[in-house]
Amino acid sequence: MPANLSPEYKAAEAAFRKARDPRERLDSLREMLRTIPKHKGTDHLQADIKHRIKELSEELEGPRKGGAARSGPALVIRPEGAAQIALLGPPNSGKSALHARLTGSGANVAPYPFTTQYPEPGMMPHEDIHFELVDLPAISPEHPVPWLAGTLQTCTPCCARNA
Ligand SMILES: Nc1nc2c(ncn2[C@@H]2O[C@H](COP(=O)(O)OP(=O)(O)OP(=O)(O)O)[C@@H](O)[C@H]2O)c(=O)[nH]1
Ligand SMILES: [Mg+2]
């Protein structure tokens, strides 16, 4: 977390964490951008907030008028490679950071929960084969993702256990 975040910014971020309604989330993000201290140490965070404002605004606008309806982000990922592996876990637990590290994806990593909104595939090389790693939104009782079970249908059944 960058230093010198103002109380106003912290309040806006707290509101963002609590908000479940997309419009409330957008308002909180705008407030975060307005109140974040503008200096080098917050460059990444500012860019991330701007990116999320853009994504959420587009999501709220819905399909663009005058053209073909947007199909939206893919909720089911076509399996590639030796196996398709899902990254599942609670909010803010480092799923996207792991995905980015193992696959080189540009998965969004941020110091607050519910950053990942849609499945993101990436290929992870291992010796002479590739596994497909799918980054997913967090699993949490207060923010269920209705389509998640459908996304998992294409994943290879496996579980981690101690040797
Ligand atoms: N100390 C430490 N921090 C980590 C590690 N992995 C991730 N983080 C930090 O934890 C925060 C959350 O990381 P994300 O990768 O966005 O977590 P996530 O599980 O994808 O979060 P959601 O998409 O919101 O579910 C970020 O601030 C990361 O920098 C780790 O191995 N060690
Ligand atoms: Mg994530």
Side-chain angles (χ1 to χ4, degrees):
M1 182 68 79
N4 303 326
L5 292 174
S6 63
E8 288 85 0
Y9 175 85
K10 287 179 183 167
E13 192 186 285
F16 173 73
R17 284 168 187 263
K18 259 202 259 162
R20 290 291 163 265
D21 177 72
R23 284 191 191 283
E24 277 175 39
R25 287 170 71 78
L26 185 57
D27 287 346
S28 302
L29 281 169
R30 287 186 173 138
E31 184 62 9
M32 284 162 67
L33 189 59
R34 195 183 68 78
T35 54
I36 193 168
K38 310 288 189 294
H39 58 71
K40 263 256 164 276
T42 63
D43 272 359
H44 282 301
L45 200 48
Q46 287 184 56
D48 178 63
I49 294 168
K50 284 178 192 164
H51 178 72
R52 302 202 66 193
I53 287 174
K54 183 170 174 284
E55 274 187 349
L56 201 48
S57 305
E58 285 175 3
E59 199 179 307
L60 284 167
E61 274 169 23
R64 286 192 183 123
K65 287 176 192 148
R70 285 193 312 172
S71 55
L75 302 181
V76 175
I77 305 296
R78 192 162 64 97
E80 306 272 0
Q84 188 182 60
I85 301 165
L87 283 176
L88 284 172
N92 214 31
S93 56
K95 302 179 295 299
S96 299
L98 185 63
H99 190 269
R101 177 67 67 90
L102 294 177
T103 71
S105 74
N108 266 347
V109 174
Y112 40 77
F114 305 112
T115 304
T116 306
Q117 298 283 315
Y118 297 106
E120 167 139 358
M123 298 309 290
M124 176 180 72
H126 176 68
E127 296 181 353
D128 58 347
I129 55 173
H130 284 74
F131 293 101
E132 185 177 44
L133 217 52
V134 183
D135 188 24
L136 290 169
I139 296 185
S140 86
E142 73 269 23
H143 192 46
V145 180
W147 45 260
L148 200 53
T151 308
L152 293 174
Q153 295 291 316
T154 53
C155 292
T156 309
C158 63
C159 67
R161 62 183 170 87
N162 294 331

